[in-house]
Amino acid sequence: MELKRTIKYESDRVKGFGREVMSVPGCEQLEHCIQCGTCSGLCPLSIFMDYTPRQVMELTRSDFKTEVLRSTTIWLCASCYACTVECPKQIRITDIMYELKQRAIHEGFYPKRFPIPVLAQEFYKMSHKRGRVTENFLATIMFLKTDILAALGMWRLGLNLLRRGRFPLKLEGIKRKSELERMMAVVDKLSIDALNNGHQTGGNGGRQHGAH
Amino acid sequence: MDKVNGNHDVRIGFYVCNCGTNIAAMVDVQAVAKYVAALPNVVVSRDYKYMCSDPGQELIQKDIKEFGLNRIVVAACSPLLHEHTFRSAVEAGGLNPFFFHMVNIREHDSWVHTDRDEATAKAKALARAGIRRVARHRALEVKKVPVHPDVLVVGGGIAGIHAALTLAKSGKKVYLVEREPSIGGHMAKFDKTFPTLDCAACILTPKMSEVGAHENITLWSYSEVVKMDGYVGNFKVTVRRKPRYVLEDLCTGCQECISHCVYKEPKFPDAFNEHLGKRKPVYIPFPQATPQVVLIDPEVCLNFRRGVLTDKCKKPCVEACGDRKAIDFKQKEELKEIKVGTIIVATGFKTFDVGRMPQYGYGRYPNVYTALEVERLVNASGPTAGDVLLRDGHHPKSIGIIHCVGSRDKNTNRWCSRVCCMYSMKLAHLLKEHTEAEIYNFYIDIRAPGKGYEEFYDKLLEEGVHFIRGRVGEVTDWAFIPEEEGKLVIRVEDTLAGVVRRIPVDMVVLATGLEPHADAQNVRRLFNMSCGTEGFFLERHPKLAPVNTFTDGIFLAGCCQSPKDIPDSVAQAGAAAAEALVLIDTGHIEQEPNTAYVVEAECSGCKSCIPLCPYTAISLLPDKKKAYINEALCKGCGTCVAACPSGSIVQNLFEDAEIFSEIDGLLEPTSV
Amino acid sequence: MKYSYFPGCSLKGTGRAYEESLLPVLKVLGVELEELDDWNCCGATAYMAVDEVKACVMASRNLAIAEKAGHKELLAPCSACYLVLNKTKHYLHESPVVEAVVQKALRQANLTYSGNTPVRHPLDLLVNNVGIEEIKKHVKHPLKGLKIAPYYGCQIVRPYATFDDQYNPTTMDRLLEAIGCTMVTYPLKTRCCGGSLTGTLPEPGLLCSYILLKEAITRGADVIATVCPLCQFNLDCYRDKMKGKWGHETIPDPRNKDARVPVGPHLDIPVVFFTQLIGLAFGLSEKELGLQRGFAPMRKPACAQRQSAAA
């Protein structure tokens, strides 16, 4: 039997992480969490998570950044908002999950071939580049980048979709792509983080806890 | 100007209080004392650690004698707290107590500022204003108004009952007004009480009968207070007595009318049994109801049609009543006017409306119950005689009790209702005893801080009742695996074990919280009280005046002030009764002489002040055609003073000269 | 009244049957639509996980184009688009900092955002603007006897419940009852379908969708009606996988309550868009409504009912 020490030391905390998250607009109410577990009880995906949503809330508030950003929980959130509308302290749990996902992506905290963040990023790239998303292309790219075998397993679904006219063979896109590019350039130039009182002090991918 | 005392030589003593560091930390008190010492007419100016202490008060008295002071100003906390203390000290020093003025440099200054220099400058300005003002003060006399010895208690739950009995036993006459047909309140519906598991009826009904029989208590049930006028010691109250269609004096409570009603079987939802049972149109709410008088519900009685008398029924009830002739279909509502000196408001609470949380399935799934319904269900005199028979006709083998329903929840009520943990455990024990079912409590935190409460929790753990720390998000009826089919399913995070669980049960009990009555705002207005943000009536001070209100002579008891259990309600009722007794046995109240009076020579008799007075204290002297203010009714609000076109109304303690001097003092530039 | 119309990516791809049925139904009812000029991806859920501000800029471009088009309101049939567009409006209202950035970006395209164009869902529009009575007038072939499990999904009632009840939405129930259908009691009306997890992590994702199908079957539904292209896709297109994983599970036999039968064969319950059902009742052809695009065809009894009503 392999034994594992589970103790947490103060040096395991990234002090200020919780405060940082709670200073993001929409995430403030986390301060009031009473750990009642309503979120986990309602979450349809909580049964697959390594930490329940309630535990993620507490770990975040207590500055256990590494544990939170490496958890499967944030990726399993399907944004159904069941937790958010029922939370007795009106904590916007779904929005906090989004915030944590963004941080995990920016700081490289997820397994390489884990499909969910890959999908999110590919979605981002495609919509950014073409203005629209063509789902079947997106899914194909995702499978190629994460698990080619799974992609092969999907051929039947693809064929079925094709037969029913639900598998477009052409990538969709908008006409005025340059307009969108100019708009996005504005956001890239402006440091929103600075404007938001430094809610993302680490910036893109910079911290030592980095990728693994 | 000082012709009243014949003393032109104004000699002021000024004292600035450090209040420990409450004031001294933000205001340079020595600088203030030094500054004031140089102002005109100031003879003594000191700072002292605690002016309200005995040595502080003695300091004032000593200075009055030693320096021949005739005016005193203390700069300290709010007059609400210590004005009375210092007036008494000044009086003991041999001066008229109204030659004193208090300046608030704590709540108005040190507590609300962050810059020491600016706060000190403000303290100097406020002190200067006080010095200017006090020079204009006149000697005034405190008026004594007699206190009517009778007391009105509003609400006949356990708090109202206990307050009424305490007062009646000390020989005072009490009017007890109750909205429902019987006194007893919520406690009368309970089966047992925590943590001792006394039978609620066994300990309550003796007190109810005592109320019914006590010669000093006038019990008006099925009645409501509709109007209150007057002031402490002299309230005039109007009570509406709703028609029961049965004459209280003649009814013996034999209930022959009920057994002879044309409805052979009870047919209408019975409110006392939380609509789980049925009653007839003529009924008595429950066996030990006090008064033991039946009543007729005109909404369903055949002799009425939608509340209007039609005389279409054969009226076997009247026949059964016979010579007693207690039934009177023509009875009308009655308005009674009474005079009392003090009032105790004990109007109680309502339980949270579970319709506001549809996720728990109440009304959609028949086997979801409120806690109050379960009280009736386990009660031997309840609709099932204590048999826990579910609405679907089964006996439960597993029961989930959900705590904090409508409590600790920003979406409904934010407060903790304080009694639900304990009553949930009580119901868990009783349900276990009645059904031997597997029982699960779903809680956020167990709050068991009373005497014997933690021990009760321990006992429940020993009985094998499950406690799962996790708030339930929803109750559903869909099965994920076959063992859940046909059951209600509770999905919850067991936060202590750190796992999500699905627990199928036959019965769900919702531990509903306590909230203010829907018409609490009307009651508040009726009695000139205040409400907190959550809607419960506001006590004068949360720690030191917990049963007083901001209206003198009106006291609070029980859950209308905040959720509380029976022991606390009873204790508070006793305290409210004692406060009323203080007033009654003192025999009079001292009235602040800040009343207004009319300078007759200047009054033109225009009458514009009369309708403006909120206390109807002003009338027109018919012979002189001049306005006259009844000092006993005047509350010193100042409305008439401001409104009088000829400036002929003067208010004591707020004379023009006093106020203008104060303003001048305040606006004068402060040399730092 | 004429509305701006934001189809979103799915209605041009996997969910095209939604558009194919929505447009002719609205045409019958005299509601005019104008597709938003050069609309872009709404900035949906997956995008929000990467960069919320950029997602807001994406959504705002659509909102600003709609304002420029001059129609008072914007119709967004896809639940994800509906939520993202509304959420962006809330977000811009709550955070002046983000709004400033968005406005600056919009100026690059000579656009501005004032926040004055409400984003509406077809259910809202049909019930509250067109009206149930008006819809009844156009019913040629009532779908009598067709038992429906009405599935609303998450994002039109959470986190904002703007036009329907959060716990028990009824707008679709009322519409489908108006065209003759019968609603079964379906307690999972707003439970999550698993969203994009069905593709990324099939184990938890498909379980979410499977639970929805199974419960509709045990409640005796003939058809599941949906309002969202992703919900429809998840419930419709993964049946093979579900049968492989859970087909052996048993449910009470609908014909004999003491017996149990495997759920597998029953999983082929048709999953359609509510607009397809309304179209059928309006007498439009199956082809016009894109019904052939479903993986499980509408069952015979339902279609037979329709034809007998037509006869």
Side-chain angles (χ1 to χ4, degrees):
Chain A
M1 189 199 297
E2 200 188 326
L3 296 180
K4 203 174 133 198
R5 273 204 324 193
T6 56
I7 188 166
K8 294 279 177 213
Y9 296 102
E10 278 301 272
S11 54
D12 294 331
R13 291 170 57 202
V14 178
K15 284 186 188 154
F17 173 71
R19 272 284 135 220
E20 226 174 88
V21 172
M22 289 186 278
S23 68
V24 174
C27 304
E28 304 92 338
Q29 295 300 316
L30 176 54
E31 292 168 354
H32 299 275
C33 178
I34 53 170
Q35 290 287 298
C36 66
T38 307
C39 44
S40 319
L42 282 163
C43 177
L45 279 320
S46 58
I47 52 176
F48 294 99
M49 294 168 173
D50 49 0
Y51 294 110
T52 64
R54 170 190 62 86
Q55 288 170 323
V56 166
M57 293 301 114
E58 186 54 39
L59 287 168
T60 302
R61 187 164 60 175
S62 306
D63 299 330
F64 288 105
K65 175 175 176 176
T66 318
E67 289 77 354
V68 168
L69 296 191
R70 283 198 183 138
S71 71
T72 59
T73 310
I74 56 177
W75 302 112
L76 278 160
C77 170
S79 10
C80 77
Y81 293 91
C83 50
T84 298
V85 299
E86 286 311 327
C87 174
K89 297 294 173 183
Q90 295 178 345
I91 302 168
R92 296 191 197 167
I93 298 152
T94 315
D95 290 351
I96 293 174
M97 293 294 178
Y98 274 128
E99 180 61 30
L100 296 173
K101 284 182 219 185
Q102 286 181 28
R103 282 163 186 267
I105 288 178
H106 288 167
E107 305 192 22
F109 273 90
Y110 56 87
K112 256 205 172 124
R113 289 181 170 274
F114 193 45
I116 305 171
V118 171
L119 175 72
Q121 280 170 299
E122 292 305 323
F123 190 106
Y124 170 81
K125 274 190 223 158
M126 188 184 280
S127 52
H128 204 151
K129 213 164 114 191
R130 306 200 51 85
R132 287 184 197 170
V133 168
T134 315
E135 299 140 304
N136 47 311
F137 280 81
L138 184 64
T140 312
I141 296 169
M142 181 199 76
F143 283 122
L144 291 176
K145 288 208 166 181
T146 55
D147 187 352
I148 298 181
L149 284 176
L152 292 176
M154 299 299 272
W155 68 271
R156 241 176 89 177
L157 175 61
L159 202 64
N160 275 330
L161 287 170
L162 192 65
R163 230 183 312 174
R164 289 169 172 82
R166 295 168 76 171
F167 195 104
L169 296 171
K170 180 172 113 342
L171 268 171
E172 290 271 337
I174 61 171
K175 285 177 284 176
R176 301 191 295 274
K177 292 195 189 77
S178 64
E179 179 179 302
L180 194 63
E181 271 165 34
R182 284 201 307 279
M183 291 172 67
M184 290 306 171
V186 171
V187 185
D188 284 329
K189 245 180 273 160
L190 276 176
S191 171
I192 300 279
D193 304 337
L195 287 169
N196 265 345
N197 271 333
H199 87 252
Q200 286 182 355
T201 49
N204 282 12
R207 294 201 103 156
Q208 50 166 343
H209 291 277
H212 46 276
Chain B
M1 267 305 286
D2 277 318
K3 55 191 177 214
V4 180
N5 355 288
N7 182 2
H8 290 266
D9 182 18
V10 171
R11 298 176 64 79
I12 304 173
F14 175 78
Y15 303 87
V16 53
C17 179
N18 297 8
C19 197
T21 55
N22 272 308
I23 294 171
M26 188 48 62
V27 171
D28 181 347
V29 286
Q30 274 116 19
V32 174
K34 201 173 147 210
Y35 171 79
V36 172
L39 295 176
N41 292 335
V42 175
V43 179
V44 182
S45 178
R46 306 179 189 276
D47 80 277
Y48 190 75
K49 202 159 174 81
Y50 289 107
M51 278 311 293
C52 59
S53 64
D54 280 353
Q57 295 180 47
E58 279 157 21
L59 188 64
I60 297 175
Q61 288 161 18
K62 201 171 108 257
D63 285 352
I64 292 174
K65 293 205 174 68
E66 205 172 314
F67 298 99
L69 303 179
N70 53 24
R71 297 287 193 284
I72 302 295
V73 174
V74 175
C77 56
S78 165
L80 190 70
L81 297 169
H82 276 305
E83 189 173 56
H84 185 74
T85 312
F86 294 120
R87 276 184 183 167
S88 305
V90 168
E91 193 171 21
L95 292 182
N96 181 290
F98 298 93
F99 283 143
F100 165 78
H101 183 67
M102 191 159 179
V103 174
N104 183 353
I105 58 164
R106 194 178 72 176
E107 285 85 342
H108 287 181
D109 190 3
S110 69
W111 277 359
V112 291
H113 292 295
T114 49
D115 184 302
R116 192 169 151 90
D117 289 341
E118 287 183 48
T120 302
K122 181 172 175 181
K124 286 176 184 174
L126 290 167
R128 191 173 57 225
I131 297 288
R132 290 290 187 84
R133 182 191 222 275
V134 83
R136 304 291 190 158
H137 274 206
R138 289 186 300 117
L140 295 168
E141 205 184 317
V142 172
K143 292 256 167 20
K144 286 182 177 178
V145 181
V147 171
H148 194 289
D150 294 357
V151 187
L152 167 67
V153 176
V154 188
I158 182 59
I161 288 174
H162 185 78
L165 282 175
T166 307
L167 289 160
K169 283 178 191 166
S170 71
K172 312 301 173 205
K173 298 258 186 247
V174 180
Y175 295 93
L176 177 57
V177 175
E178 165 59 47
R179 170 147 69 178
E180 299 296 324
S182 168
I183 58 170
H186 281 95
M187 188 177 170
K189 297 187 178 189
F190 300 162
D191 182 46
K192 300 275 163 60
T193 57
F194 61 78
T196 48
L197 296 174
D198 303 89
C199 154
C202 309
I203 59 176
L204 176 66
T205 51
K207 295 189 81 133
M208 288 168 60
S209 343
E210 204 180 342
V211 166
H214 207 294
E215 56 176 11
N216 282 343
I217 299 180
T218 304
L219 171 58
W220 285 341
S221 66
Y222 212 46
S223 303
E224 281 176 84
V225 174
V226 292
K227 198 168 165 230
M228 184 206 82
D229 287 324
Y231 53 94
V232 51
N234 298 276
F235 292 109
K236 198 164 83 186
V237 179
T238 311
V239 178
R240 181 160 62 96
R241 306 216 56 205
K242 295 175 273 190
R244 313 168 83 102
Y245 305 105
V246 171
L247 302 173
E248 257 177 74
D249 300 341
L250 302 178
C251 175
T252 59
C254 71
Q255 304 182 28
E256 284 294 313
C257 49
I258 300 177
S259 36
H260 285 81
C261 177
V262 285
Y263 284 99
K264 290 286 166 254
E265 293 302 323
K267 197 182 160 192
F268 305 100
D270 173 6
F272 183 79
N273 278 321
E274 294 294 302
H275 303 103
L276 293 172
K278 302 247 190 291
R279 62 158 167 82
K280 294 184 180 182
V282 56
Y283 68 104
I284 192 153
F286 55 102
Q288 304 96 327
T290 305
Q292 272 287 311
V293 176
V294 300
L295 71 159
I296 292 169
D297 177 357
E299 293 302 316
V300 293
C301 172
L302 282 185
N303 211 32
F304 293 87
R305 191 178 154 77
R306 292 195 203 97
V308 179
L309 188 65
T310 59
D311 245 357
K312 287 225 167 109
C313 182
K314 280 185 284 183
K315 298 190 274 288
C317 53
V318 175
E319 204 175 306
C321 191
D323 289 343
R324 291 184 287 267
K325 292 192 169 49
I327 297 177
D328 174 12
F329 284 106
K330 294 203 172 80
Q331 195 180 30
K332 292 273 175 294
E333 77 167 32
E334 224 182 320
L335 290 178
K336 298 265 195 189
E337 210 170 80
I338 53 173
K339 280 200 165 139
V340 294
T342 47
I343 298 174
I344 293 174
V345 177
T347 48
F349 65 96
K350 88 186 216 331
T351 51
F352 174 74
D353 171 11
V354 284
R356 287 170 66 195
M357 293 186 81
Q359 61 266 45
Y360 290 151
Y362 184 87
R364 190 165 71 244
Y365 307 129
N367 292 350
V368 179
Y369 288 81
T370 67
L372 210 48
E373 287 173 339
V374 177
E375 294 279 1
R376 298 312 301 153
L377 213 52
V378 292
N379 194 302
S381 67
T384 55
D387 180 23
V388 182
L389 188 66
L390 297 177
R391 289 192 183 100
D392 72 356
H394 292 90
H395 288 100
K397 292 193 184 64
S398 55
I399 303 171
I401 303 178
I402 301 178
H403 292 217
C404 297
V405 178
S407 300
R408 304 186 68 190
D409 180 1
K410 280 187 179 168
N411 302 308
T412 54
N413 294 331
R414 294 179 61 163
W415 57 89
C416 164
S417 293
R418 233 182 114 183
V419 292
C420 326
C421 281
M422 289 307 299
Y423 82 56
S424 295
M425 288 197 266
K426 173 193 74 181
L427 290 177
H429 168 85
L430 295 173
L431 285 167
K432 182 117 195 146
E433 199 175 65
H434 281 61
T435 65
E436 287 175 18
E438 186 121 30
I439 297 184
Y440 305 86
N441 275 278
F442 301 96
Y443 68 97
I444 307 177
D445 297 296
I446 289 291
R447 297 194 165 164
K451 189 173 180 179
Y453 290 10
E454 180 66 19
E455 293 88 327
F456 189 72
Y457 179 23
D458 205 33
K459 171 185 158 78
L460 267 280
L461 290 167
E462 197 182 300
E463 286 175 6
V465 169
H466 304 292
F467 285 86
I468 296 175
R469 190 192 174 281
R471 183 174 173 274
V472 176
E474 62 177 341
V475 175
T476 58
D477 71 341
W478 60 273
F480 184 57
I481 49 173
E483 70 176 33
E484 296 170 353
E485 283 167 14
K487 304 261 188 181
L488 294 168
V489 179
I490 288 169
R491 189 183 194 266
V492 68
E493 181 184 16
D494 186 332
T495 61
L496 298 181
V499 291
V500 174
R501 297 173 63 177
R502 278 179 69 92
I503 299 171
V505 293
D506 300 313
M507 178 189 196
V508 169
V509 182
L510 304 180
T512 47
L514 275 51
E515 60 184 22
H517 274 298
D519 62 351
Q521 286 294 335
N522 294 340
V523 178
R524 175 189 74 75
R525 272 189 289 272
L526 193 61
F527 294 107
N528 272 327
M529 297 184 294
S530 309
C531 279
T533 45
E534 70 296 314
F536 291 109
F537 301 142
L538 197 62
E539 64 287 341
R540 191 172 205 142
H541 190 282
K543 293 167 189 74
L544 301 179
V547 301
N548 302 67
T549 66
F550 286 95
T551 306
D552 293 332
I554 298 186
F555 307 100
L556 298 172
C559 289
C560 64
Q561 183 252 346
S562 76
K564 50 179 70 68
D565 55 17
I566 294 168
D568 284 4
S569 291
V570 169
Q572 207 187 20
E579 292 282 353
L581 283 172
V582 169
L583 286 179
I584 299 166
D585 287 353
T586 306
H588 63 265
I589 48 135
E590 293 191 341
Q591 230 179 15
E592 175 85 1
N594 62 350
T595 49
Y597 61 91
V598 178
V599 180
E600 275 187 15
E602 288 164 26
C603 176
S604 67
C606 74
K607 294 187 275 193
S608 47
C609 53
I610 294 173
L612 291 176
C613 177
Y615 308 99
T616 55
I618 314 181
S619 53
L620 194 75
L621 295 173
D623 42 342
K624 296 186 190 162
K625 298 266 185 279
K626 304 278 184 190
Y628 166 76
I629 299 173
N630 180 344
E631 240 179 9
L633 293 177
C634 174
K635 298 290 274 180
C637 71
T639 309
C640 58
V641 184
C644 177
S646 60
S648 63
I649 306 183
V650 180
Q651 186 179 358
N652 290 325
L653 279 178
F654 294 93
E655 293 181 23
D656 288 356
E658 291 167 351
I659 290 176
F660 284 127
S661 307
E662 190 174 8
I663 293 172
D664 286 344
L666 199 64
L667 297 180
E668 197 177 293
T670 309
S671 52
V672 182
Chain C
M1 195 166 165
K2 200 163 176 177
Y3 296 84
S4 283
Y5 166 54
F6 180 83
C9 305
S10 294
L11 268 70
K12 299 293 183 188
T14 52
R16 45 197 296 194
Y18 194 4
E19 178 172 78
E20 285 168 340
S21 54
L22 176 70
L23 298 184
V25 162
L26 290 183
K27 197 171 170 195
V28 169
L29 294 167
V31 178
E32 284 183 80
L33 298 182
E34 185 184 308
E35 188 167 320
L36 211 57
D37 168 50
D38 204 36
W39 56 269
N40 55 263
C41 163
C42 66
T45 311
Y47 196 160
M48 275 188 177
V50 182
D51 191 324
E52 217 162 353
V53 179
K54 283 191 175 173
C56 266
V57 171
M58 291 282 267
S60 312
R61 181 173 178 269
N62 294 317
L63 294 168
I65 294 174
E67 284 180 18
K68 205 172 176 182
H71 306 305
K72 283 213 177 77
E73 301 185 331
L74 177 63
L75 188 69
C78 164
S79 297
C81 302
Y82 175 78
L83 172 61
V84 168
L85 294 173
N86 270 315
K87 194 170 176 179
T88 298
K89 286 166 74 85
H90 277 259
Y91 200 45
L92 295 184
H93 185 71
E94 280 173 17
S95 170
V97 181
V98 179
E99 202 207 325
V101 176
V102 164
Q103 297 284 24
K104 190 158 185 201
L106 288 173
R107 275 198 290 279
Q108 295 295 316
N110 288 326
L111 292 167
T112 55
Y113 166 79
S114 70
N116 290 333
T117 303
V119 179
R120 305 280 305 275
H121 190 272
L123 281 177
D124 181 13
L125 182 125
L126 286 172
V127 170
N128 297 316
N129 291 57
V130 175
I132 300 276
E133 289 311 308
E134 178 64 25
I135 288 164
K136 277 187 184 163
K137 282 185 205 158
H138 296 274
V139 174
K140 294 203 181 107
H141 312 304
L143 305 182
K144 280 264 180 293
L146 192 62
K147 285 189 278 176
I148 311 280
Y151 177 58
Y152 292 75
C154 318
Q155 301 195 328
I156 57 170
V157 286
R158 285 192 304 262
Y160 317 115
T162 40
F163 65 88
D164 211 334
D165 187 85
Q166 199 155 65
Y167 299 103
N168 182 26
T170 57
T171 42
M172 177 162 52
D173 298 43
R174 283 181 278 156
L175 281 172
L176 297 183
E177 275 163 0
I179 60 165
C181 303
T182 308
M183 298 299 118
V184 301
T185 305
Y186 190 54
L188 303 180
K189 276 180 173 180
T190 65
R191 196 179 197 268
C192 179
C193 69
S196 56
L197 290 177
T198 46
T200 50
L201 285 181
E203 177 73 25
L206 291 181
L207 181 65
C208 288
S209 290
Y210 164 70
I211 286 172
L212 296 173
L213 281 178
K214 179 183 160 192
E215 193 60 22
I217 296 159
T218 55
R219 300 277 169 167
D222 302 322
V223 174
I224 298 175
T226 62
V227 302
C228 168
L230 186 54
C231 298
Q232 197 279 339
F233 187 86
N234 282 342
L235 296 186
D236 191 27
C237 303
Y238 291 108
R239 296 172 211 259
D240 288 349
K241 289 198 167 184
M242 290 183 198
K243 283 179 196 167
K245 278 179 191 291
W246 301 291
H248 60 280
E249 283 193 3
T250 61
I251 53 169
D253 187 345
R255 281 173 297 271
N256 173 10
K257 68 177 164 57
D258 297 323
R260 299 187 72 84
V261 290
V263 71
H266 293 271
L267 283 171
D268 284 323
I269 177 174
V271 179
V272 301
F273 292 104
F274 75 105
T275 42
Q276 292 179 304
L277 294 171
I278 297 177
L280 281 179
F282 282 3
L284 302 169
S285 79
E286 282 142 352
K287 189 112 199 221
E288 271 178 283
L289 297 166
L291 272 166
Q292 76 283 6
R293 300 194 193 279
F295 280 36
M298 283 276 283
R299 269 190 212 140
K300 278 261 166 58
C303 291
Q305 285 275 350
R306 194 182 64 79
Q307 275 151 12
S308 66

